[in-house]
Amino acid sequence: MDDERFVQHVADRLAGLPGVRAVALGGSRGSATHRPDSDWDVALYYRGGFDAGNLRGLGWPGEVVDPGAWGPLFDGGAWLQIDERPVDVHYRDLDVVEHQLAEARAGRFDWQPLTFHLAGMPGYMLLAELATGRVLRGELDVPEYPDALREQAPGRWWRFAALTLDYTRGNHARFGRVAETAGALAQASCQAAHAVCAARGTWVTNEKRLLESAGLRGVDEVLAEPGTGPDGLVAAVDRVRERCAAAVRAAGGVPDAR
C-alpha cells in the first residue's frame, strides 16, 4: 500500500474499535515534516473507557499496553508493525482532553514526569497534538493557543528552570558533581524552552526540536565543555542560566527573568 492508503486502512480499523470516537495522525507524519523512515503516530480518541484487548484482537504484531499504563495524561498505547511500517498508537481519553482544554483556557496546566521527556509533560501537550495533527476519522475540536496560557505558562516554566538551576549550582556544581550538573542543565534548558514557546504561543508535542524552537541550541556549547572542577561547573551553570534567561526575556513571557 502507498502511504495514503496505508494510513486510511489503519484509521478504518482503529475507528471500528468499541468506544473509539475519532482517530488522528500526529507526529511528523501529521504535520507533513516527516522523513521517509519516520514512524507513524496515530491517536485513537475514546469516550467512557477503552479495552486494549480489542486492539490486540486486530492481530498486528507488537506490544500493546492497557490504558493508564503511561500515566494519567499520556495514558497508554502500543508499538506495532503494520504492513512493515512502525506505528505508535496512543490512547487519548476525550474527557481528559476536554479537561485539559478548559484548564489551558484558564491559564492552568497539569504536569507529569514522562519517560524520554527531560522537562516532563504539560497537560496542554494533548491539545498540541490536535492542533498540529490531522483528523482522519470522527470529529475533534482543533484548539487555538489560549491567550491565558500564553500569559501564565511562561512564568511557571521559568520558575521550574530557575529552581533547577539554583539547586544545581548549590548542591551539585560546587561539589564537582559533573553528571548531576550536566543532567540538570539539560533539564533546566528544556524547562526554559517551554517558557519561550508558551510565550510565543507555539505548540510543543515533544522535546525533539524544543531547544531549536526556543533558540536555545547554544547551550550545547556549554554542555560540551562544562569542566570537571567546582569552579568550572559553577561557571557552566551561570552561563546556561544567562542564555536561558535571555531567551525567556526576549520572548516577552517573563520580562524580569534572571
Side-chain angles (χ1 to χ4, degrees), residues 92-113:
R92 296 292 178 257
D93 185 334
L94 281 167
D95 290 339
V96 173
V97 173
E98 290 166 0
H99 172 73
Q100 294 304 323
L101 178 57
E103 287 291 282
R105 286 174 172 165
R108 301 186 294 265
F109 65 91
D110 294 331
W111 174 93
Q112 75 170 60

Side-chain angles (χ1 to χ4, degrees), residues 13-76:
R13 301 297 300 278
L14 294 178
L17 297 178
V20 174
R21 300 295 181 86
V23 178
L25 179 65
S28 62
R29 296 278 181 180
S31 60
T33 58
H34 58 283
R35 305 183 308 269
D37 62 342
S38 295
D39 61 5
W40 298 76
D41 294 295
V42 182
L44 61 83
Y45 291 81
Y46 67 88
R47 181 86 70 184
F50 177 73
D51 183 351
N54 291 317
L55 178 57
R56 296 186 184 98
L58 294 178
W60 290 327
E63 180 180 355
V64 179
V65 305
D66 292 327
W70 297 344
L73 290 175
F74 206 63
D75 204 348

Side-chain angles (χ1 to χ4, degrees), residues 210-231:
L210 179 58
L211 294 183
E212 286 90 343
S213 296
L216 282 171
R217 191 75 270 169
V219 299
D220 288 349
E221 300 169 7
V222 181
L223 292 178
E225 298 182 26
T228 57
D231 290 345

Side-chain angles (χ1 to χ4, degrees), residues 125-136:
M125 193 175 288
L126 300 178
L127 312 180
E129 292 176 340
L130 287 173
T132 60
R134 172 187 168 196
V135 179
L136 300 172

